[in-house]
């Protein structure tokens, strides 16, 4: 198995992504590398403690890695967060891989998010989105600028044409509310096509969509501050922190202790909170 | 055809719904009747001009009907709007039937909405929802009260289990933003099952869901004012009017003149604006 490439004495990092099938790993590495190249000196080096950069439970059946890089003072980037979790469950291996880019309140432009949730070799949940940071009902111009003018819905439209792909509805209504109305939120189920067909879909269909969406984000969202009144910046900050807090509760506080035990889970959650609730 | 039951000299009204298949008509009539029974004296009689209660284009190929009943001063109901449009298009008959209940700013509780869009006897778009009137990201308690605690997502979950039903994504991103994350937004496509199977689905699956959702709305949303500060009421009013304005633009300003000519279309749109932008 691919894990044999990473002996115990090599400390795993986020970017190693040791348990992902090659096309998924390559996509994630490409996205991170594109961000790093484009943002360049705007990104500070990671300063996470080693025991949060990589962590596991006592038995070693659950492993995880985290990378957080803050933006510099003059950047619109707040921080970039990458993480993976691998857990050997009785039902099979669970892999959750996430890459999210958060902007600070010098701009109200959307975030970038990609997430793989895989609990079987032939079935994968994929979220790919530029989650909005404003109430789209109150700010129709925001919807026009970032979603209509960029034709962002075409990625979702193209992907759901594949017979293996169905829309995915998160069980958390709050999580659903976080995504834009153009979010790629899908289940890829290859059935008898098997892992080979999954690799093909990731390579031929998902990767181009994810890369193009990242290009749009880098081009239209990160590129500079946006005119806002002081009160708008305060409200934006409040909304960002609330989303982060709720998302952390739903995604991690609810599940991480079960996989890693309370001590490891708390350590990881507290490390993320330092960035996401600051 | 069913239209022969309504000779030229009988003026059609909204509640006649002459072009709907019986199960759809019965459902709409039942919903209106349930609203009228429950709201009773809270609803004022309709005061729309006759040429807006029923309207048609010059050739008679497009017909429509509208009914609007305001709530009394002491009611949380702002107004109830029912409408249907029937148009003989080269591609076949188009039928759009809508029933929406709007609340005023003594409460921030959700609206009730049901809409049928049918352009072939075997295919139907259905929207059934309690559209929220707050930013769900900023008000997670609102999401809990009206959507989680009422288990509102179960209607969507049950309906998409049918092989004939697929999620529907409106081509307007703004329209998508208006709906809740639990909205039943589906295409029912019966294919070879034909109109009989459509009738069966409306009768067995859609009708119970719509009636139960209306019961939830009558029980949890209309039932009384909600504590809000004065500024919240002002913001709520502003948001309601903005949604109504944008929705009117998307649903009617864009399409009604094409079906009815500019004069009839303007008359109808202005009549609705008197209520929805007031």
């Amino acid at each position: 198995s691919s894990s044999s490439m990473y002996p115990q004495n090599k400390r795993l990092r986020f970017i190693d992504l040791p348990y992902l099938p090659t096309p998924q790993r390559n996509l994630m590495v490409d996205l991170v590398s594109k961000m790093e190249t484009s943002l360049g000196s705007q990104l500070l080096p990671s300063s996470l403690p080693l025991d949060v950069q990589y962590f596991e439970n006592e038995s070693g059946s659950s492993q995880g890695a985290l990378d957080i890089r803050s933006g510099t003072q003059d950047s619109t980037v707040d921080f970039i967060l990458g993480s993976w979790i691998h857990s050997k469950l009785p039902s099979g291996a669970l892999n959750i891989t996430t890459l999210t880019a958060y902007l600070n309140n010098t701009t109200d432009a959307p975030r970038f998010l990609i997430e793989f949730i895989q609990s079987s070799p032939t079935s994968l949940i994929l979220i790919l989105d530029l989650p909005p940071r404003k109430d789209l009902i109150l700010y129709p111009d925001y919807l026009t600028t970032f979603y209509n003018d960029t034709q962002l819905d075409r990625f979702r439209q193209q992907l759901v044409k594949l017979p293996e792909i169905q829309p995915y509805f998160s069980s958390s209504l709050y999580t659903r509310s976080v995504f834009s109305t153009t979010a790629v939120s899908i289940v890829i189920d290859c059935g008898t096509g098997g892992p080979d067909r999954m690799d093909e879909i990731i390579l031929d269909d998902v990767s181009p969509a994810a890369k193009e969406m990242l290009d749009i984000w880098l081009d239209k969202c990160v590129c500079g501050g946006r005119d806002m009144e002081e009160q708008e910046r305060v409200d934006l900050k409040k909304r960002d922190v609330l989303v982060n807090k709720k998302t952390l509760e739903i995604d991690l506080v609810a599940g991480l202790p079960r996989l890693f035990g309370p001590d490891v889970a708390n350590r990881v959650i507290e490390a993320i909170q330092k960035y996401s609730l600051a």
Side-chain angles (χ1 to χ4, degrees), chain A:
Chain A
S1 89
S2 53
S3 63
S4 62
M5 292 158 40
Y6 298 87
Q8 291 287 349
N9 56 357
K10 181 189 179 298
R11 178 171 282 275
L12 288 169
R13 295 169 310 149
F14 162 67
I15 201 66
D16 295 324
L17 300 156
Y19 297 104
L20 282 196
T22 305
Q24 287 182 48
R25 185 195 305 124
N26 287 349
L27 171 56
M28 278 288 176
V29 170
D30 286 352
L31 294 175
V32 170
S33 145
K34 180 74 193 250
M35 274 189 192
E36 289 179 340
T37 309
S38 302
L39 298 173
S41 61
Q42 288 185 52
L43 291 183
L44 297 168
S46 174
S47 62
L48 285 179
L50 286 178
D51 63 358
V52 172
Q53 286 187 28
Y54 172 80
F55 48 95
E56 56 185 30
N57 66 350
E58 272 189 26
S59 72
S61 63
S62 291
Q63 301 170 269
L66 179 67
D67 188 33
I68 300 182
R69 294 185 63 184
S70 291
T72 52
Q73 203 75 43
D74 59 342
S75 172
T76 55
V77 174
D78 192 0
F79 62 97
I80 312 276
L81 186 154
S83 70
W84 58 258
I85 283 169
H86 169 77
S87 194
K88 291 170 184 68
L89 299 175
S91 53
L94 170 72
N95 285 298
I96 302 176
T97 315
T98 311
L99 177 64
T100 315
Y102 299 78
L103 299 177
N104 61 35
N105 71 347
T106 59
T107 178
D108 56 5
R111 298 171 168 181
F112 175 85
L113 165 76
I114 184 166
E115 183 165 39
F116 295 128
I117 304 171
Q118 185 153 30
S119 55
S120 107
T122 58
S123 170
L124 175 72
I125 292 164
L126 166 69
I127 317 284
L128 172 63
D129 193 25
L130 305 187
R133 294 165 68 212
K134 295 270 219 188
D135 178 6
L136 298 178
I137 291 294
L138 273 184
Y139 298 92
D141 291 350
Y142 187 91
L143 190 64
T144 304
T145 302
F146 294 113
Y147 300 94
N148 280 311
D149 291 352
T150 57
Q151 297 179 282
L152 209 67
D153 199 43
R154 69 184 189 274
F155 303 113
R156 188 193 63 75
Q157 284 175 26
Q158 280 161 14
L159 286 166
V160 296
K161 277 183 196 156
L162 294 183
E164 294 90 350
I165 292 183
Q166 291 292 320
Y168 169 71
F169 293 83
S170 163
S171 63
S172 157
L173 302 184
Y174 194 85
T175 299
R176 286 187 211 168
S177 312
V178 169
F179 301 135
S180 81
T181 55
T182 57
V184 173
S185 178
I186 55 176
V187 190
I188 310 174
D189 195 336
C190 294
T192 54
D196 288 350
R197 178 64 186 134
M198 181 65 80
D199 285 356
E200 206 172 79
I201 290 174
I202 299 294
L203 205 59
D204 296 344
D205 303 287
V206 171
S207 293
K211 288 175 185 178
E212 211 179 327
M213 206 185 277
L214 179 60
D215 283 342
I216 291 170
W217 183 77
L218 288 166
D219 187 40
K220 305 278 180 206
C221 302
V222 193
C223 51
R226 295 229 310 159
D227 269 347
M228 276 183 287
E229 307 199 359
E230 190 48 37
Q231 187 57 45
E232 274 185 277
R233 290 193 204 281
V234 173
D235 292 345
L236 184 65
K237 179 80 191 175
K238 191 180 138 196
R239 195 176 194 277
D240 281 348
V241 168
L242 185 58
V243 171
N244 295 349
K245 185 164 173 286
K246 290 289 294 180
T247 306
L248 212 62
E249 278 170 19
I250 294 162
D251 288 352
L252 297 184
V253 178
L256 217 55
R258 206 158 21 99
L259 298 178
F260 291 91
D263 294 346
V264 174
N266 285 343
R267 199 166 69 213
V268 173
I269 290 165
E270 279 168 22
I272 297 174
Q273 283 174 334
K274 273 187 198 152
Y275 295 83
S276 71
L277 306 187

